[in-house]
């Protein structure tokens, strides 16, 4: 794959050309030359786009595609195309499928379905068999097959001894254990954040305490086992404090936040729009501000779209009966840029690679091309027509966003939406 990118501003602190506008020559999938001006004697495909910016390829640490089993929601093929046109050169696939991805053959299957795509797929294996929270899955075998972490998607591990054993066992082969932050007995049947709005709307509340108790418990177990833990999608101010304290103790812990939990508050629930029914639930303005501050100071390591496609039958129902989840790949960059600078947004979209052992590809000569192409200045209103996923359950429809993604150059392929 050969191409010549013209007049692109590089956004990559690990590149000698950071903040410079240059041409980038790509030959056989590698960056062969970066200079102010490069001629094109071999008549390679030229990429010349308005206000073009280029960064290292973005990574999303939590996406669901449905396949196998829920292909009506999304397929791996279309999911990876959606990710590519949303700027992501790598995604971590949750074991949110039927059957659940909980053994080495399952890992091999989803990897085979992802071959020959521009975006690379990195599977996350279930932590327990069938994600039932009772018996550990084949962690070591799955890691050998290509799993990058172990997580029962949005299902808390209620048995603390099971999580303790998982952390201890994973230490022996460098595995990364993920634990969903919710104490189910406290959360009960709650469907939204327990606060003033839940009372006004007459919806059962899921208190912040349910998350914070679980985070505190998991951090105690982490300290005891000296293991390696990732806490996905925290949502409360107290959770940020708990993780900050754990990092001060030098515990091996990272965490993420779902983009919708920093973009929306529970005030958006007033119309009972089930696209805002997410887990963890949308919290208060105070929580949002604490989460944003946690991202700024590094307490929270990464953002995720927590992309979760759901067909209309699971969303166009009464709020209590709707499934949790929103898609978010297509709106991720535009939403992030309404909160952070372009430089910070790019940093948050690439931060998770090291934790999940995804190769980092700085924009330097000789490196494999793993690039995201975008225009950070475009302002637009996100509409249903902007959705590339099979399912259309986006909480961001109607929101004013900033930044257009052109596509990616990665895995020796070019995928750009003009």
């Amino acid at each position: 794959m050969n191409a010549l990118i013209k007049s692109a501003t590089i956004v990559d602190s690990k590149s000698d050309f950071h903040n410079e506008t240059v041409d980038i020559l790509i030959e056989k999938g590698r960056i062969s030359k970066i200079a102010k001006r490069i001629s094109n004697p071999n008549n390679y495909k030229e990429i010349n786009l308005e206000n073009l910016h280029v960064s290292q390829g973005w990574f999303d640490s939590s996406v669901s595609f449905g396949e196998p089993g829920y292909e009506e929601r999304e397929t791996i093929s279309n999911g990876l195309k959606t990710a590519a046109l949303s700027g992501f050169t790598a995604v971590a696939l949750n074991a949110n499928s039927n059957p659940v991805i909980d053994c080495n053959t399952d890992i091999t299957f989803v990897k085979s379905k992802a071959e020959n795509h521009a975006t690379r797929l990195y599977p996350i294996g279930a932590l327990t068999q069938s994600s039932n929270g009772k018996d550990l899955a084949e962690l070591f075998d799955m890691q050998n097959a290509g799993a990058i972490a172990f997580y029962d998607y949005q299902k808390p591990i209620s048995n603390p001894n099971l999580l303790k054993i998982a952390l201890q066992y994973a230490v022996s082969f460098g595995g990364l254990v993920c634990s969903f932050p919710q104490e189910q007995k406290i959360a009960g049947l709650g469907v939204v954040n327990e606060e003033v709005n839940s009372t006004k709307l007459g919806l059962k509340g899921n208190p912040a305490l349910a998350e914070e108790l679980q985070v505190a418990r998991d951090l105690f177990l982490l300290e005891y086992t000296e293991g390696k833990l990732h806490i996905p999608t925290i949502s409360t101010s107290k959770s940020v404090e708990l993780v900050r304290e754990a990092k001060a103790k030098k515990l091996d812990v990272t965490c993420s936040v779902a983009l919708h939990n920093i973009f929306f508050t529970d005030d958006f629930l007033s119309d009972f729009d089930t696209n805002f029914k997410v887990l963890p639930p949308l919290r208060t303005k105070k929580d949002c501000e604490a989460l944003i501050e946690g991202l700024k100071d590094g307490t929270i390591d990464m953002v995720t779209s927590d992309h979760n496609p759901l067909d209309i039958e699971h969303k166009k129902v009464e709020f209590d009966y709707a499934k949790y989840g929103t898609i978010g790949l297509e709106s991720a960059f535009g939403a992030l840029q309404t909160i952070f600078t372009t430089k910070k947004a790019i940093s948050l979209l690439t931060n998770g690679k090291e934790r999940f052992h995804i190769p980092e590809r700085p924009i330097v000569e000789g490196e494999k091309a793993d690039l995201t192409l975008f225009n950070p200045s475009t302002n637009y209103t996100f509409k249903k027509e902007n959705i590339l996923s099979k399912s259309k359950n986006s909480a961001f429809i109607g929101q004013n966003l900033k930044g257009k993604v052109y596509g990616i150059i990665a895995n020796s392929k070019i995928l750009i939406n003009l």
Side-chain angles (χ1 to χ4, degrees), residues 74-91:
E74 185 58 283
T75 62
I76 288 174
S77 179
N78 190 66
L80 289 174
K81 181 181 177 183
T82 298
L85 294 175
S86 302
F88 294 91
T89 63
V91 295

Side-chain angles (χ1 to χ4, degrees), residues 4-5 8-10 12 14-18 20-27 30-38 54 361-367 371:
L4 178 59
I5 301 174
T9 301
I10 292 179
D12 181 8
K14 295 182 179 179
S15 171
D16 292 337
F17 297 91
H18 180 49
E20 292 187 28
T21 301
V22 294
D23 291 353
I24 305 171
L25 180 64
I26 299 170
E27 296 180 293
R30 288 188 179 271
I31 300 171
S32 60
K33 187 177 182 181
I34 303 174
K36 283 293 182 185
R37 186 165 298 161
I38 300 174
V54 175
R361 309 285 186 191
I363 304 175
V364 296
E365 291 178 0
E367 183 60 85
L371 308 171

Side-chain angles (χ1 to χ4, degrees), residues 318-369:
E318 290 179 41
F319 200 94
D320 276 340
Y321 300 113
K323 282 190 175 293
Y324 295 103
T326 176
I327 57 173
L329 284 171
E330 301 96 320
S331 50
F333 179 59
L336 260 184
Q337 277 217 130
T338 66
I339 302 169
F340 300 102
T341 64
T342 299
K343 180 181 177 182
K344 183 63 177 178
I346 300 305
S347 172
L348 292 172
L349 289 166
T350 55
N351 272 359
K353 290 182 179 180
E354 182 179 358
R355 184 59 163 176
F356 287 89
H357 301 292
I358 310 292
E360 293 189 77
R361 309 285 186 191
I363 304 175
V364 296
E365 291 178 0
E367 183 60 85
K368 285 184 179 179

Side-chain angles (χ1 to χ4, degrees), residues 43 53 105 119 180 226 233 247 255 294 303 305 311:
N43 200 29
H53 286 58
T105 54
T119 297
F180 184 63
E226 298 182 349
T233 59
K247 289 190 170 188
C255 66
V303 293
S305 68
D311 51 272

Side-chain angles (χ1 to χ4, degrees), residues 91-111:
V91 295
L93 180 71
N94 291 309
N96 185 22
S97 57
N98 183 23
V100 167
I101 302 166
D102 65 357
C103 64
N104 58 356
T105 54
D106 294 338
I107 297 294
T108 302
F109 170 77
V110 295
K111 286 183 67 178

